[in-house]
């Protein structure tokens, strides 16, 4: 915010985590104007430009400066001094450990507390105040004093790098959308898809979302991306130990042989595989996952291995099924019927049918036990 370059990219320093809808960092947080941050912010100094909207609480260990027309959906807790421009809206409380410099028409719904001085006026924007102050020192010939002031403003006691959010960005749990390059540091934990002109991700970082850029994308060593990696007209480089749990789409793809890609690789140009360096050490797998894999492997090893039986065997080598049992019982209602199993083919001499009378005009349906008409008449009487 103090020059032409600092906010021309999305910069997430090392060790930044998104915890329970809050952006947590050890350094400062600088947000460009016209941005929407649908997250809470916890850091050192928190500085926001005009018309910035925060969707959660702000906790600043140092100073907090919100320019005009800023909106905070939550509480604002400040460890040192606070500066609020005109028409700032805070839905929660404002608690300041130091001095409070507040502008006109500021709306704090649940009140405010300050341990130091409270000055109600329209505070001058930071960049304007710094420019006027330095110009006055240079005009009176105090060049050394101007250098000291610039060094004091541009340097911070906090050794951690700040989080830089460019102008017009939109950040929430679903996506981080910026129209500038994005740089993600080492050992970070991010939630949401990242959309930028080009993306560079450090090592040991886990991103729960996809990466999409217009230009190049670089995935650092031992980094896990839970989504696709897509670039419109650039190249994709995947470092050793990285794990992309999705597809890769790009112009040219450079993939380390020690990297993993679960999905498909669609490269309009060339796909190059590189050797892992000799001193490369992949991240150790999770102990619980490793124990589960060993248990599963031991279960498979303990199972007996039997040869499958063929469905068709040559005649004479197979065994015919055993004949039906001597008797079978079929339940009919509350009783049981004894059905004797008989072979389907029997010799003629063992049959009960009177085969000698088959051609003498007797009706086979009666089986020689009487006239058919008499049987029918007997049935009708019943």
């Amino acid at each position: 915010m103090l020059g032409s370059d600092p906010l021309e990219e999305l910069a997430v320093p090392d060790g930044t985590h998104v915890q329970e809808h809050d952006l947590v960092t050890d350094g400062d947080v600088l947000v460009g104007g016209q941005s929407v941050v649908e997250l809470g912010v916890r850091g050192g100094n928190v500085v926001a430009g005009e018309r910035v909207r925060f969707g959660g609480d702000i906790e600043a260990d140092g100073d907090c400066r919100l320019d005009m027309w800023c909106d905070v959906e939550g509480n604002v807790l400040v460890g040192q001094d606070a500066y609020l421009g005109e028409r700032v809206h805070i839905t929660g409380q404002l608690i300041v450990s130091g001095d409070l410099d507040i502008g006109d028409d500021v709306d704090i719904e649940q009140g405010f507390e300050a341990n130091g001085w409270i000055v109600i006026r329209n505070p001058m924007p930071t960049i304007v105040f710094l420019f006027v102050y330095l110009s006055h020192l240079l005009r009176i010939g105090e060049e050394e004093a101007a250098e000291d002031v610039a060094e004091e403003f541009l340097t911070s006691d906090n050794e951690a790098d700040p989080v830089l959010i460019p102008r017009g960005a939109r950040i929430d749990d679903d996506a981080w959308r910026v129209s500038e390059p994005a740089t993600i540091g080492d050992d970070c934990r991010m939630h949401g898809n990242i959309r930028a002109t080009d993306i560079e991700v450090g090592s040991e970082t886990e991103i729960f979302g996809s990466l999409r850029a217009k230009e190049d994308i670089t995935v650092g060593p031992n980094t896990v991306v839970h989504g696709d990696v897509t670039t419109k007209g650039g190249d994709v480089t995947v470092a050793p130990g990285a794990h992309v749990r999705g597809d890769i789409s790009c112009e040219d793809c450079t993939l380390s042989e020690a990297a993993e890609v679960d999905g498909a690789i669609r490269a309009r140009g060339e796909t190059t595989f590189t050797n892992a360096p000799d001193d490369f050490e992949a991240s150790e797998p999770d102990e619980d996952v490793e124990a589960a894999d060993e248990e599963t492997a031991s279960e498979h090893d303990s199972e007996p291995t039997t040869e499958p039986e063929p469905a068709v065997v040559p005649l004479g080598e197979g065994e015919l099924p055993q004949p039906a049992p001597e008797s079978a019982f079929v339940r009919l209602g509350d009783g049981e019927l004894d059905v004797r199993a008989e072979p389907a083919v029997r010799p003629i001499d063992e049959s009960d049918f009177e085969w000698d009378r088959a051609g003498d005009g007797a009706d086979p349906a009666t089986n020689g036990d009487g006239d058919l008409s008499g049987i029918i008449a007997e049935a009708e009487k019943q």
Side-chain angles (χ1 to χ4, degrees):
M1 302 188 71
L2 303 178
S4 59
D5 293 332
L7 290 183
E8 290 186 355
E9 68 169 345
L10 171 64
V12 179
D14 301 343
T16 301
H17 289 186
V18 177
Q19 301 175 357
E20 298 180 357
H21 307 291
D22 288 337
L23 176 62
V24 182
T25 180
D26 295 333
D28 300 337
V29 179
L30 306 179
V31 184
Q34 310 290 334
S35 298
V36 177
V37 181
E38 294 289 351
L39 300 171
V41 175
R42 288 191 291 173
N45 299 317
V46 178
V47 181
E50 298 180 2
R51 297 181 183 273
V52 175
R53 182 180 183 276
F54 293 92
D57 299 336
I58 295 178
E59 298 182 18
D61 296 334
D63 296 341
C64 177
R65 186 177 187 101
L66 305 179
D67 213 332
M68 60 182 64
W69 297 98
C70 286
D71 192 355
V72 180
E73 293 288 337
N75 302 318
V76 178
L77 307 178
V78 184
Q80 296 182 9
D81 301 334
Y83 307 86
L84 304 182
E86 60 181 359
R87 294 181 175 82
V88 170
H89 178 220
I90 300 175
T91 60
Q93 286 185 329
L94 171 64
I95 300 177
V96 183
S97 298
D99 299 335
L100 174 60
D101 198 346
I102 190 171
D104 299 333
D105 297 331
V106 173
D107 184 11
I108 304 174
E109 295 185 4
Q110 299 184 16
F112 64 91
E113 297 179 4
N115 293 332
W117 291 93
I118 300 177
V119 180
I120 300 177
R121 57 172 179 165
N122 189 13
M124 185 180 297
T126 304
I127 186 65
V128 176
F129 171 76
L130 179 60
F131 177 76
V132 173
Y133 188 42
L134 292 178
S135 298
H136 178 70
L137 292 177
L138 294 175
R139 188 178 298 111
I140 63 177
E142 296 290 340
E143 297 181 357
E144 294 182 0
E147 292 179 359
D148 295 339
V149 171
E151 184 178 358
E152 181 179 357
F153 272 90
L154 296 176
T155 59
S156 175
D157 295 336
N158 198 332
E159 297 179 356
D161 295 331
V163 175
L164 302 179
I165 300 177
R167 180 181 179 86
R170 184 176 183 86
I171 296 175
D172 52 31
D173 288 337
D174 179 64
W176 295 52
R177 297 183 177 90
V178 297
S179 57
E180 305 291 342
T183 302
I184 312 299
D186 302 337
D187 193 24
C188 295
R189 184 182 179 90
M190 311 288 293
H191 291 265
N193 305 312
I194 298 178
R195 308 288 185 260
T197 55
D198 60 79
I199 303 173
E200 182 178 356
V201 184
S203 61
E204 304 288 344
T205 294
E206 189 168 10
I207 298 177
F208 294 89
S210 60
L211 304 179
R212 181 177 297 176
K214 295 180 180 179
E215 300 177 4
D216 299 341
I217 298 178
T218 302
V219 180
N222 297 325
T223 291
V224 180
V225 179
H226 298 266
D228 299 336
V229 177
T230 305
T231 174
K232 185 176 181 180
D235 303 335
V236 171
T237 302
V238 182
H243 189 178
V244 178
R245 298 184 176 181
D247 299 338
I248 295 179
S249 300
C250 59
E251 288 290 337
D252 297 332
C253 180
T254 302
L255 181 66
S256 173
E257 63 178 8
E260 296 184 34
V261 178
D262 293 348
I265 300 176
R266 302 179 181 90
R268 291 176 288 272
E270 298 179 352
T271 300
T272 306
F273 294 92
T274 60
N275 297 326
D278 297 336
D279 56 349
F280 170 74
E281 294 182 0
S283 59
E284 297 180 358
D286 192 355
E287 295 180 358
D288 297 336
V289 176
E290 187 176 1
D293 295 340
E294 292 179 358
E295 183 179 355
T296 304
S298 61
E299 291 178 358
H300 287 293
D301 294 340
S302 61
E303 295 179 357
T305 56
T306 58
E307 294 293 335
E309 298 182 358
V312 180
V313 297
L315 186 62
E317 295 183 4
E319 296 182 359
L320 294 176
Q322 296 295 329
E326 183 178 358
S327 63
F329 294 93
V330 180
R331 182 175 297 278
L332 298 175
D334 295 333
E336 293 182 350
L337 177 63
D338 186 4
V339 180
R340 298 291 178 176
E342 297 184 359
V345 179
R346 300 179 58 185
I348 295 178
D349 53 355
E350 297 179 4
S351 175
D352 296 334
F353 186 78
E354 298 180 4
W355 295 98
D356 296 340
R357 298 184 57 195
D360 59 359
D363 190 350
T366 62
N367 198 17
D369 294 335
D371 189 10
L372 178 60
S373 59
I375 297 174
I376 297 174
E378 186 68 21
E380 292 176 352
K381 292 178 182 180
Q382 296 178 359

